[in-house]
Amino acid sequence: MIFFNFKKTVLTGIATLVVLCLSDDLYAQSVTPQAASSFSWTNLPQVAQPQFKKDTIDIRTFGASPDGHTLNTKNINDAISACNGRGGGVVLIPAGYWLSGPIELKSNVNLHLADNAFVQFTADFSQYEIIEGNYEGKPSARNQSPISGRDLENIAITGKGTIDGNGDAWRMVGRNALTEGEWREKIASGGLVSDDGKTWFPSEKTKLAHEEKRSVLLADGGKLSDFEDIKDYLRPNLVVLTNCKKVLLEGITFQNSPAWNLHPLMCQDLTLRNVLVKNPDYAQNGDGVDIESCARVLIENCVFDVGDDAICIKSGKDEEGRKRNIPTEQVIIRRSKVYLGHGGFVVGSEMSGGARDIFVEDCTFMGTDKGIRFKTTRGRGGIVENIHIRNINMSNIVQEAIFFDMYYWTKPPQANEVQVVPEVTVETPQIRNVFIDRVTCNGAAIGVFMRGLPEMPIQNIRMSNLFLTADRGVEIKDAQHVSIDNATFHTDKSNRLIYVENAKGLFFDQLDYDPDVSQVLEVNGAESNNLRFKNAKFDIKQIKLDHGARSSAVQID
């Protein structure tokens, strides 16, 4: 091995930059081994599908009326119960406008919506009972979901129809989320406006809960009746399936949910196929699908256009999630599109039960706030590992294309801020073993952003074949064993390409970037070490060292 020593002035003082020719085995040394897993791209998880009898029951047999006015709650539920009682089959909702209250699914029943069947849930809140539900992994008071099922097996919602949650009747909205015309229309529809004129509320109960900052969580000793005075504020998720097995959602448009659209919780063998999920962009908590503590999941050929995270992996929050201890695992997501949303594919932040063996491929994210998004924070605990992502296209991403952050909803330290580092405990989250290949993004604020905790760095992240056009290239803080190879960056020439702070074991190979970039690399912190560049084309003048960073930390060929 050949070493060339250069003595150059970098910032203030004299620094020595070590330049070496990297042998191929150094690549393997730059990352830690993958944790044992039996799954891979050539051995994907298998998801069992439900099977149904061909017997069909038409809801009109039970007196349902498609006039958009008659409340068909009992008619639809009676049809489902009768089908279940006969050993299962298909409950048909024909073409037409069907108004309903909450629908409860039953085992061995396929609820099938014909083409041009439109099921809309009533805005009469008295039709929804206050029940014990789940909010961000914690027991909470919620209104009964428009569609729900618990402890079921062999269930489906299929067809070509539309299920509408009438969400605008439930949700408050900020003035800055609407155009002036939309705001005037919202006020004209009824409801109330906050004293400062910035927020519209659909009812007095919603306004009261917001102004008093009332919690929806069921604390020790709390009763459901305690929430009657803020009932309207307890927005339900559109579809909630709890502890169900062999579930299929196929072909349906799910839209306008009061809160999350689809929430499978502790389910097994779940398939979403050819589903369209829509919520207005101003819909707070308007997630597309939240897969929580589920095993063996397939999402394919779906479209999401929502007001929050689109495809989200969760497993409970903090102590409750750790006690449940059910990870989301063995998930396949492929050939799906995301339009608006906070994130395209998202893990967290409620991941206290862990997430593992997840495969995402052939997806397109357009106009989302972030593209690939991992988020957690101290207190969560849980391990996110063995995540495989490939063949992702992104366009007009508002913030980061690829994003890892362990300071969700907490104040992160300032750049190079001296911190008191806590001990690692069961409350310390971990993100490790993430493999990302072939990502193209045209338009983002930052191409790759990674921020771990000083006591628990993000670990073993391998990215390859990236083609990113962004204002800034790469920012890595408190991470170790990260590799980026065969990556092309088109960035603002006035910005640095790569920023590193207190990171170890980084490996970069075959980076391509615009030649007029003024600064390729900035390294900060005495903890930064073993930063290796192979097939590099920049020189010492394009490197900045600061805040205790040593020149020996950087090694290039």
Side-chain angles (χ1 to χ4, degrees):
M1 189 172 293
I2 302 172
F3 291 82
F4 299 93
N5 292 332
F6 295 86
K7 292 186 177 180
K8 296 284 186 177
T9 301
V10 183
L11 293 179
T12 59
I14 304 298
T16 302
L17 179 66
V18 179
V19 183
L20 67 156
C21 298
L22 289 174
S23 60
D24 290 338
D25 64 339
L26 289 179
Y27 179 87
Q29 296 172 17
S30 68
V31 294
T32 56
Q34 179 182 352
S37 173
S38 60
F39 298 104
S40 67
W41 285 116
T42 57
N43 183 36
L44 292 172
Q46 299 297 308
V47 181
Q49 303 291 301
Q51 301 291 328
F52 301 96
K53 294 171 61 177
K54 294 183 179 179
D55 296 354
T56 299
I57 296 177
D58 190 320
I59 63 171
R60 291 175 296 188
T61 304
F62 288 80
S65 175
D67 58 11
H69 177 75
T70 301
L71 198 61
N72 294 290
T73 313
K74 185 176 186 303
N75 316 82
I76 296 173
N77 281 305
D78 285 351
I80 292 173
S81 294
C83 184
N84 168 260
R86 299 176 190 179
V90 178
V91 170
L92 173 65
I93 300 182
Y97 193 139
W98 308 91
L99 189 67
S100 181
I103 295 172
E104 297 183 24
L105 302 179
K106 292 188 181 295
S107 293
N108 302 311
V109 175
N110 175 5
L111 184 64
H112 184 84
L113 279 68
D115 193 6
N116 200 33
F118 181 71
V119 176
Q120 185 176 60
F121 288 92
T122 178
D124 178 3
F125 296 166
S126 69
Q127 299 297 315
Y128 305 85
E129 294 182 13
I130 299 179
I131 62 169
E132 180 176 334
N134 189 281
Y135 178 70
E136 293 187 338
K138 296 185 176 183
S140 63
R142 304 293 294 264
N143 279 287
Q144 182 180 2
S145 288
I147 299 179
S148 64
R150 178 182 290 271
D151 301 327
L152 307 179
E153 187 167 355
N154 218 49
I155 59 173
I157 306 174
T158 65
K160 296 183 179 179
T162 299
I163 293 175
D164 185 287
N166 218 340
D168 278 330
W170 293 86
R171 69 174 72 92
M172 61 186 187
V173 61
R175 181 170 186 168
N176 60 1
L178 304 176
T179 66
E180 281 300 315
E182 290 170 336
W183 179 251
R184 289 193 297 270
E185 183 178 347
K186 182 66 72 175
I187 293 175
S189 70
L192 305 97
V193 177
S194 61
D195 294 341
D196 60 10
K198 295 181 179 180
T199 306
W200 176 86
F201 301 96
S203 71
E204 287 278 8
K205 292 183 177 182
T206 302
K207 185 172 185 286
L208 173 67
H210 178 75
E211 291 181 343
E212 293 186 355
K213 297 181 171 57
R214 295 276 292 275
S215 172
V216 302
L217 300 180
L218 286 169
D220 293 341
K223 303 183 298 295
L224 295 177
S225 58
D226 296 338
F227 295 87
E228 284 291 346
D229 63 333
I230 60 167
K231 181 182 190 301
D232 304 358
Y233 182 69
L234 310 175
R235 293 176 291 132
N237 298 333
L238 179 57
V239 179
V240 175
L241 303 174
T242 304
N243 197 35
C244 297
K245 299 178 180 179
K246 293 186 181 179
V247 179
L248 172 65
L249 306 179
E250 183 172 31
I252 299 296
T253 295
F254 296 95
Q255 67 178 32
N256 202 18
S257 172
W260 294 355
N261 280 274
L262 308 177
H263 183 203
L265 171 63
M266 297 185 294
C267 292
Q268 299 178 26
D269 293 301
L270 165 71
T271 298
L272 275 68
R273 182 181 294 121
N274 298 321
V275 163
L276 170 61
V277 181
K278 287 177 59 65
N279 248 3
D281 59 357
Y282 57 80
Q284 66 271 43
N285 312 114
D287 297 25
V289 58
D290 292 272
I291 308 295
E292 183 173 350
S293 294
C294 295
R296 298 183 300 281
V297 179
L298 173 62
I299 300 175
E300 61 181 0
N301 302 317
C302 294
V303 178
F304 299 87
D305 188 355
V306 295
D308 210 307
D309 291 326
I311 305 170
C312 198
I313 305 297
K314 298 179 181 292
S315 61
K317 184 176 181 180
D318 299 343
E319 184 178 4
E320 287 83 357
R322 295 192 298 273
K323 286 180 179 178
R324 182 199 296 165
N325 194 30
I326 302 177
T328 290
E329 60 183 338
Q330 301 178 41
V331 179
I332 304 167
I333 300 166
R334 61 194 179 198
R335 299 189 300 275
S336 294
K337 299 179 178 66
V338 176
Y339 291 91
L340 294 183
H342 290 345
F345 167 71
V346 182
V347 178
S349 73
E350 305 93 73
M351 40 65 69
S352 301
R356 62 193 180 210
D357 295 321
I358 298 172
F359 297 82
V360 184
E361 67 175 335
D362 301 332
C363 293
T364 300
F365 307 146
M366 297 157 282
T368 57
D369 291 348
K370 303 177 190 296
I372 298 167
R373 184 184 192 190
F374 293 81
K375 55 178 178 175
T376 186
T377 190
R378 290 185 177 113
R380 293 284 190 268
I383 300 174
V384 173
E385 63 182 348
N386 302 339
I387 314 296
H388 305 258
I389 303 170
R390 69 183 185 185
N391 301 335
I392 306 297
N393 299 316
M394 305 185 199
S395 174
N396 298 321
I397 303 302
V398 178
Q399 298 163 4
E400 301 88 355
I402 301 172
F403 179 81
F404 298 80
D405 190 25
M406 300 179 80
Y407 285 91
Y408 182 70
W409 274 110
T410 58
K411 183 179 179 180
Q414 297 295 313
N416 302 293
E417 179 182 336
V418 177
Q419 302 178 64
V420 176
V421 180
E423 294 183 357
V424 174
T425 70
V426 69
E427 296 184 355
T428 307
Q430 300 182 52
I431 300 175
R432 67 192 188 195
N433 303 333
V434 179
F435 309 96
I436 300 174
D437 184 35
R438 297 193 294 277
V439 173
T440 301
C441 176
N442 184 9
I446 303 175
V448 177
F449 180 90
M450 194 175 301
R451 180 167 57 195
L453 300 171
E455 72 274 20
M456 183 57 67
I458 295 168
Q459 303 181 60
N460 195 19
I461 313 297
R462 295 179 61 173
M463 291 176 273
S464 57
N465 302 306
L466 308 181
F467 305 91
L468 307 180
T469 300
D471 295 338
R472 303 200 298 275
V474 179
E475 297 187 10
I476 300 177
K477 179 177 181 180
D478 288 314
Q480 63 185 23
H481 307 305
V482 176
S483 69
I484 299 177
D485 70 276
N486 192 28
T488 298
F489 294 92
H490 298 291
T491 59
D492 187 329
K493 65 180 181 180
S494 64
N495 292 326
R496 60 186 174 243
L497 179 67
I498 301 171
Y499 175 88
V500 175
E501 183 179 332
N502 291 327
K504 303 176 182 178
L506 309 188
F507 181 83
F508 300 87
D509 188 10
Q510 293 184 317
L511 296 187
D512 192 16
Y513 50 89
D514 298 329
D516 54 357
V517 169
S518 59
Q519 185 181 100
V520 173
L521 175 65
E522 178 179 338
V523 182
N524 289 272
E527 296 296 320
S528 294
N529 192 28
N530 194 20
L531 315 179
R532 303 179 176 186
F533 292 81
K534 185 178 181 181
N535 297 310
K537 61 180 183 180
F538 58 90
D539 61 35
I540 190 173
K541 296 179 181 178
Q542 295 174 291
I543 299 176
K544 176 182 177 181
L545 305 175
D546 203 354
H547 293 92
R550 301 180 304 275
S551 57
S552 60
V554 181
Q555 303 168 351
I556 64 175
D557 69 2

